[in-house]
Amino acid sequence: MSLKETFKALGDPVRREILEMLKGGAMRAGDIAACFEMSQATVSYHLSQLKKADLVRETKQKNYIYYELNASVFEEILLWIKSFAGGTDDEEA
Amino acid sequence: MSLKETFKALGDPVRREILEMLKGGAMRAGDIAACFEMSQATVSYHLSQLKKADLVRETKQKNYIYYELNASVFEEILLWIKSFAGGTDDEEA
DNA sequence: ACTATGTTTAGATAAATTTCGAAAGAGGTA
DNA sequence: TACCTCTTTCGAAATTTATCTAAACATAGT
């Protein structure tokens, strides 16, 4: 996906809010949806975008589907941003 | 703008490419536009989005308008990303 | 004041994205 | 198998975004 899909995914406020929620740990799709004034179908769509961007991972358990953050991709974004914010590429000290 | 406009701005590939260009230093709007297969008006639109997101700054000189990166906003994004990638908020050691 | 150059704004269109309701899929359990 | 719950997929409508051409704006030089 190479940061292209990733940034597009991060561009949407709903998706960022979902990510914030997942900081607290894995959640079921239904519980995530319950936090929004949107249909479950819509939230499912956003989750699929996040998944496509590798920002979240899903794990099936019983008949639930849990979503959780995928930290490694955030590391990649971190590098991209650092190349603008910090120094040349390998950062301060 | 508070990261909301910022992420939306970063979501577009053209705009990210413009930012990459500006790593090399300030550039005139026309020179930036010349690097794309788009009308100048369209590039101007993208520049306005980047400006609105505070990712770039413009400085007028002679009858040119120069655009350059605004590092401070990248620092903000860095913090946001770090809160997902690194640790709780203040990063590893 | 006029012209020329560099850039943005306006208005319109095309393309992509978000959203919904309804239907389908997947997994348990009876 | 049939049913129930959780979640996704489908098809369509609504909203947003990107793009273009043409026109306007700004500034410098003649």
Side-chain angles (χ1 to χ4, degrees), chain A residues 6-18:
Chain A
T6 308
F7 273 110
K8 205 175 67 181
L10 286 175
D12 185 275
V14 172
R15 292 193 286 260
R16 284 197 304 279
E17 202 172 334
I18 292 175

Side-chain angles (χ1 to χ4, degrees), chain B residues 30 40-41 44 67:
Chain B
Q40 181 136 292
S44 183
Y67 282 91

Side-chain angles (χ1 to χ4, degrees), chain A residues 42-85:
Chain A
T42 299
V43 174
S44 183
Y45 161 75
H46 284 300
L47 286 171
S48 76
Q49 297 299 108
L50 288 170
K51 201 167 50 181
K52 199 162 71 179
D54 258 353
L55 286 162
V56 303
R57 228 184 338 243
E58 74 176 24
T59 60
K60 297 168 204 284
Q61 228 175 96
K62 273 206 77 160
N63 51 346
Y64 300 126
I65 299 185
Y66 282 87
Y67 282 91
E68 62 185 336
L69 294 179
N70 178 16
S72 67
V73 174
F74 286 96
E75 297 286 356
E76 283 189 55
I77 308 169
L78 206 53
L79 287 180
W80 192 86
I81 300 291
K82 272 187 183 174
S83 78
F84 290 97

Side-chain angles (χ1 to χ4, degrees), chain B residues 22-84:
Chain B
L22 293 178
K23 273 189 190 178
M27 287 178 74
R28 294 181 303 192
D31 288 346
I32 296 171
C35 299
F36 292 93
E37 302 281 328
M38 290 182 288
S39 72
Q40 181 136 292
T42 299
V43 174
S44 183
Y45 160 75
H46 285 299
L47 286 170
S48 77
Q49 298 299 108
L50 288 171
K51 201 167 51 182
K52 198 161 72 179
D54 259 352
L55 286 162
V56 303
R57 228 186 337 247
E58 74 176 24
T59 59
K60 296 167 203 282
Q61 229 176 95
K62 271 206 82 162
N63 52 344
Y64 301 126
I65 299 184
Y66 282 87
Y67 282 91
E68 62 185 336
L69 295 178
N70 179 16
S72 67
V73 175
F74 285 96
E75 298 285 355
E76 283 188 56
I77 308 168
L78 207 52
L79 287 181
W80 192 85
I81 301 290
K82 272 187 182 174
S83 78
F84 290 97

